Amino acid sequence: MPTEADRTGPAPGALLLCRAVPGAVAPVAHLLRERMQLTRAGDGWSVLVPEGGPWRDAGEPVDRVVTGWATALAVGAPWPVLALWWDADHAGFTLASGFRRPVGFVWLASGVPVGEEEAMRTFAARVGLDPVLDLQALDQLTKTDSAADARARMRGLLAVLARVGVSLPPAVVPGEPADRLREAAALQPDSLPVEWPGLREAVAERDTVDHSRLGPWMPWTGDPRARALALAQMAAGVPLIAWGLRRPSGGWGWATAGVLLLTHGALVLAYTVTHPRD
C-alpha cells in the first residue's frame, strides 16, 4: 500500500558538494549559520548535509535557498560548490564557481528535463569533465526517457561525476529524508557537525585549518588579495540582499548569500586594518 511520501513525493532536501577536503570547507560553511553535517565525498570532495530549516520551517523554495548558499560559499573560494536539490515536483543541481553566474539543470519528478542543453555543456567544462565521453553521458540526461524519474537522473549525474572523484558515502542518497541523510553522514569516520560557533570561536580556528586551501576567504590567511576580495564581496552582497528582499517569496537564500558576503567582506577589511601584515 503506498505511503503518504509515495503519494506526495519526497520532502524537500539538498546536498552541497564542495571540491575541497572537509578541513578546508568547515570554516567557510560555519558562516552560513545553518546546522549541517560535513564529511568526505570522494577524492578531493566533501559533502554538506543541511538540516533544512529554511524550507522545512519557513517554506522557502529549496532550489533558491541552496543556490544562494552555493553562491556564497563559492565566491572567493578556490573551489566550486555543487548543490543537489529536490522537492515533491522537481529535482536538479546548481554549480557555483567564483563570481561567475551559477549554472544548473532541472527535471520534473517524472524525469522530464526542463533545463537547457547548453547549461550541461557549461557545467561539464567548469567541473573539468571530458568534453567528449563525459559530455555524451550528460547529454543523455537532457533527453526524454520514460523509464527514468528525477531520482534516476540524479544517480546518472553522480555516476558521471564519479569520473572527477565524487563518491557519496553509503546511504547519503539524493531524495532521502534530511534526518536520514544527516544520520548517515554522521556515521562516517571523518564526519563533523557544522554550525555557527560565534565570531570569537571562528577566529580561534585559524590555527587549526589549512590556510593554503582557503586562500583569501578567511581574513587571517595573509593573502595579498584579501582586501580586494573583501571589497568585491561587499559590492556583490548589497545587490543580492536587495534582490532577495524584493522577491515576495523565494528570496531568502539570495538575501542570506548577500548578508554573508557583506558581513565577511567587512570582517576581512576590519581584520586587515587591525592586523596589518609585517
Side-chain angles (χ1 to χ4, degrees):
M1 183 175 180
T3 65
E4 183 65 21
D6 294 329
R7 290 190 293 267
T8 62
L15 299 171
L16 292 166
L17 283 161
C18 304
R19 199 166 195 173
V21 297
V25 174
V28 183
H30 283 157
L31 300 174
L32 292 179
R33 305 192 182 196
E34 165 76 7
R35 293 182 62 187
M36 301 185 181
Q37 197 71 29
L38 170 65
T39 190
R40 190 175 297 275
D43 185 13
W45 289 82
S46 302
V47 62
L48 286 160
V49 184
E51 189 175 69
W55 53 83
R56 186 195 61 221
D57 301 330
E60 294 287 341
V62 61
D63 57 327
R64 291 173 182 165
V65 172
V66 297
T67 296
W69 284 349
T71 301
L73 289 174
V75 169
W79 27 264
V81 180
L82 176 64
L84 307 178
W85 60 269
W86 56 91
D87 59 26
D89 302 313
H90 310 82
F93 68 86
T94 300
L95 177 71
S97 180
F99 283 96
R100 290 183 290 187
R101 182 179 180 181
V103 62
F105 200 87
V106 179
W107 298 275
L108 299 181
S110 61
V112 174
V114 292
E116 299 179 0
E117 293 184 14
E118 181 60 32
M120 276 294 193
R121 289 190 282 272
T122 303
F123 167 73
R126 291 185 184 178
V127 175
L129 291 165
D130 186 280
V132 179
L133 298 179
D134 294 342
L135 187 55
Q136 288 178 353
L138 288 177
D139 279 342
Q140 293 303 310
L141 300 177
T142 69
K143 310 298 183 185
T144 301
D145 184 351
S146 59
D149 61 10
R151 295 187 67 167
R153 301 291 198 174
M154 298 288 271
R155 290 195 299 269
L157 175 67
L158 289 169
V160 178
L161 289 173
R163 301 173 191 176
V164 290
V166 174
S167 178
L168 289 175
V172 179
V173 181
E176 292 295 314
D179 55 350
R180 190 178 303 170
L181 290 172
R182 294 186 73 221
E183 289 173 2
L187 293 175
Q188 302 308 303
D190 61 348
S191 181
L192 66 152
V194 173
E195 55 186 316
W196 177 244
L199 182 58
R200 185 185 301 274
E201 292 78 5
V203 172
E205 289 184 352
R206 68 185 183 273
D207 296 325
T208 64
V209 300
D210 185 347
H211 295 164
S212 65
R213 292 181 181 272
L214 284 172
W217 234 111
M218 305 306 285
W220 47 81
T221 59
D223 192 291
R225 296 174 297 163
R227 187 183 298 271
L229 176 61
L231 292 172
Q233 288 175 337
M234 294 176 71
V238 172
L240 278 179
I241 294 172
W243 188 85
L245 294 177
R246 283 199 305 267
R247 296 186 63 85
S249 64
W252 190 95
W254 289 105
T256 299
V259 170
L260 171 58
L261 292 174
L262 186 62
T263 302
H264 184 266
L267 175 63
V268 172
L269 287 180
Y271 192 92
T272 56
V273 170
T274 58
H275 296 74
R277 299 184 67 195
D278 295 335

